[in-house]
Amino acid sequence: MSSNADGTTGGPARSAGDPRPVPPGPLRLGPYEYGPHQRLVMAIVNRTPDSFYDRGATFTDAAALDRVETALEEGADLIDIGGVKAGPGDVVDSAEELRRVVPFVAEVRKRFPEAVISVDTWRAEVGEAVCAEGADVLNDAWGGWDPELARVAARYGVGLVCTHAGGVEPRTRPHRIGYPDVMADILTRTVRGEAERAAALGVPRERILIDPGHDFGKNTRHSLEATRRLPEMTATGWPVLVSLSNKDFVGETLARPVAERLVGTLATTAVSAWLGARVYRVHEVAETRQVLDMVSAIQGHREPAVAKRGLV
C-alpha cells in the first residue's frame, strides 16, 4: 500500500518522473473501502430519452428505479446516473439536466440507502446539486471541461473520476484526431494532472479514479491501444475505471451494431481486468460480474463459488 507525504493512502507516492510502478492503494467510495484486487461494477442508469444504447428505456422514474433495483440485485457496486447522452443530439441545458437527475438521486438515496451513487456530469452546478442530495461520486467523462467540478467534489469529500477526452468539447465527436502517442497524451494531458489537481484541492486521494476515456476524443485504433496499454495507467497507483460497454470501438472492431456488441465488450472487459482496471461502467451487470469474478479466480484473488469436482 502506497503512503503519501501527508500520511494518506491511494494514488501516486512518487514523482511523475519516477518510472517505478506505484502499488495500488485502497479505494473508498461512499462509506466503503475496497482492496486492490476487488473489481467493481458500475451500472449505467440513463435519465435520457435518446441514449445510444437503450433509446430512453429508463427515462421515466419508474423504469429507472426498476433498473437500479435490478442492477443492485445482479451485483452492481455502484449506480451511475446520467442526464445527458454523451453524443450529439438535442441541447440539454443545465436546468434540464438538473431536472432529470437531482430528484432521481434523492429518490435513489432514499430507497437504497446503502447504494453507492455516481452521477455522470461535467457541470459543477449539477455536481453541487446532486452531492447535496447524497451522491457519492462525480463521474466527469469530459476531461475537466468545467474546472469547478473538482472543487465541488472537494467540498463534499466525494469521489471524482478524471477522464481523458482529448480536449474535445462535451457532446462532440472527434474528427481526424491524432496523437503522437495516445497513452502519453492520456497520462500527461489529462488524467495525471487532473487527479493531482483534485487532490491538491482537497478531494481525498483514495476517492480519485482515472479513466482512459474509450471513444472520447479517440478513434477505434486509439481505444484499442489504450486498452492494451492499461498497465501504464495502473502503474501510476491511481485506480483505473474503464467505460467499455457496447461502445463504437467494439462495434467497429467486430463490425457489429449496438445490439450485437456484448461479446466484444465482455472480451475487452476480461482483458482490462487482467491488466489491472478496477471499476467497470456497464449496461449488462450480471454478465460483467461473472467475467470479473472468473478473471479474479484465475488470478488467485477469489475462491470458486463451488468446489466439488474431484472431491465428492
Side-chain angles (χ1 to χ4, degrees):
M1 181 183 301
S2 60
S3 179
N4 302 305
D6 60 2
T8 62
T9 56
R14 305 188 183 115
S15 68
D18 191 328
R20 294 174 297 165
V22 178
L27 172 62
R28 294 188 175 94
L29 301 173
Y32 308 110
E33 179 174 328
Y34 306 95
H37 300 303
Q38 285 181 269
R39 296 186 171 99
L40 310 182
V41 176
M42 172 189 272
I44 299 167
V45 180
N46 291 313
R47 303 289 288 128
T48 62
D50 52 357
S51 163
F52 87 97
Y53 178 74
D54 61 35
R55 305 298 181 187
T58 55
F59 187 47
T60 67
D61 289 347
L65 287 167
D66 286 346
R67 163 67 175 162
V68 172
E69 184 173 17
T70 299
L72 292 172
E73 290 173 350
E74 290 180 344
D77 301 284
L78 299 86
I79 301 297
D80 191 49
I81 300 164
V84 185
K85 89 170 194 177
D90 293 341
V91 173
V92 180
D93 61 18
S94 58
E96 175 61 14
E97 186 181 2
L98 287 163
R99 187 189 70 79
R100 292 179 180 183
V101 300
V102 176
F104 187 71
V105 168
E107 187 64 20
V108 172
R109 174 54 66 219
K110 176 182 175 182
R111 294 199 188 195
F112 308 97
E114 296 183 357
V116 178
I117 301 174
S118 169
V119 175
D120 178 358
T121 187
W122 74 88
R123 291 172 168 141
E125 180 182 359
V126 176
E128 183 85 36
V130 296
C131 285
E133 296 295 346
D136 301 297
V137 180
L138 296 176
N139 180 14
D140 179 9
W142 291 103
W145 187 263
D146 184 344
E148 292 303 308
L149 189 64
R151 296 184 187 277
V152 172
R155 278 199 299 276
Y156 284 90
V158 302
L160 180 68
V161 181
C162 301
T163 307
H164 178 271
V168 300
E169 184 178 350
R171 305 196 67 200
T172 61
R173 298 190 187 280
H175 178 67
R176 297 189 180 279
I177 195 165
Y179 304 98
D181 183 327
V182 67
M183 184 52 71
D185 200 272
I186 288 169
L187 289 174
T188 61
R189 181 174 180 170
T190 304
V191 297
R192 264 184 168 165
E194 287 297 315
E196 289 292 353
R197 174 178 177 270
L201 289 171
V203 181
R205 298 182 77 93
E206 66 274 14
R207 296 186 184 274
I208 300 172
L209 303 98
I210 59 175
D211 178 354
H214 289 79
D215 274 2
F216 282 57
K218 298 170 188 67
N219 62 32
T220 288
R221 289 185 175 87
H222 294 144
S223 292
L224 292 171
E225 182 174 351
T227 304
R228 63 177 169 267
R229 294 177 64 183
L230 280 176
E232 294 174 51
M233 296 190 73
T234 62
T236 67
W238 297 108
V240 174
L241 178 150
V242 288
S243 184
L244 312 168
S245 193
N246 302 292
K247 284 198 167 178
D248 284 348
F249 83 96
V250 175
E252 289 192 357
T253 298
L254 301 177
R256 290 290 183 270
V258 172
E260 298 176 13
R261 296 177 184 176
L262 177 57
V263 172
T265 296
L266 295 179
T268 313
T269 297
V271 171
S272 300
W274 193 266
L275 296 179
R278 293 172 68 177
V279 182
Y280 299 79
R281 184 177 180 272
V282 303
H283 299 98
E284 291 91 357
V285 173
E287 294 88 342
T288 302
R289 183 75 271 163
Q290 289 184 51
V291 168
L292 297 179
D293 287 351
M294 192 70 197
V295 173
S296 293
I298 293 169
Q299 290 184 322
H301 302 314
R302 179 183 184 276
E303 289 296 316
V306 179
K308 296 190 295 185
R309 181 174 175 80
L311 300 175
V312 293

